[in-house]
């Protein structure tokens, strides 16, 4: 069974920064990428960013492009999300996922972390 554990969430003021981490127990055989998603209360869970396991292909949602950076450390089986210039609308629970990326986008798997709360105040 694959386990994903997120950490690094917290409360910051607008314009601040946070760095999220997601440690995977192993790479699922069917997965070629990992993604970060976020979900606010009453809202859909939407993709934020994704990175291939090889680390050479990236995706960012338009809402975070230029502010967030996804990276990975395969030696630690960990993916990171550096979040800068945070806005109140970034407030959500952030989840990582071990899924698949294609030319059509990222497809989430059923391998999810437990989530980590990010709260951005005005």
């Amino acid at each position: 069974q694959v386990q994903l554990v997120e950490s690094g969430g917290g409360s910051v003021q607008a314009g601040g920064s946070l760095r999220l981490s997601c440690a995977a127990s192993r790479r699922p055989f069917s997965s070629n990428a990992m993604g970060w998603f976020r979900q606010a209360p009453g809202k859909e869970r939407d993709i934020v960013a994704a990175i291939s396991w090889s680390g050479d292909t990236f995706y960012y949602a338009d809402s975070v492009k230029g502010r967030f950076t996804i990276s990975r450390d395969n030696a630690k089986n960990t993916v990171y999300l550096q979040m800068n210039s945070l806005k109140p609308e970034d407030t959500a629970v952030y989840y990582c996922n071990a899924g698949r990326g294609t030319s059509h986008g990222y497809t989430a798997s059923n391998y999810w972390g437990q989530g980590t709360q990010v709260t951005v105040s005005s």
Side-chain angles (χ1 to χ4, degrees):
Q1 182 177 352
V2 176
Q3 292 183 311
L4 305 175
V5 180
E6 299 103 332
S7 62
S11 298
V12 297
Q13 288 187 266
S17 298
L18 286 172
R19 190 191 193 203
L20 306 183
S21 299
C22 174
S25 60
R26 67 177 180 88
R27 175 185 174 178
F29 180 77
S30 60
S31 175
N32 71 349
M34 294 187 67
W36 282 99
F37 290 70
R38 65 186 181 187
Q39 186 171 25
K43 304 293 184 179
E44 296 181 345
R45 185 175 297 187
D46 296 324
I47 190 167
V48 175
I51 185 171
S52 63
W53 278 94
S54 61
D56 59 358
T57 305
F58 305 87
Y59 167 82
Y60 294 98
D62 288 343
S63 60
V64 307
K65 194 171 298 182
R67 300 188 297 121
F68 291 10
T69 302
I70 190 170
S71 62
R72 68 179 311 117
D73 184 344
N74 285 347
K76 298 181 179 179
N77 251 4
T78 300
V79 64
Y80 305 94
L81 186 68
Q82 178 66 47
M83 306 186 294
N84 298 327
S85 302
L86 283 163
K87 305 174 181 179
E89 50 263 46
D90 295 320
T91 296
V93 177
Y94 284 69
Y95 301 88
C96 67
N97 178 268
R100 293 191 60 80
T102 70
S103 61
H104 300 293
Y106 183 89
T107 300
S109 72
N110 61 346
Y111 301 115
W112 293 96
Q114 83 288 348
T116 186
Q117 176 70 48
V118 172
T119 302
V120 185
S121 60
S122 301

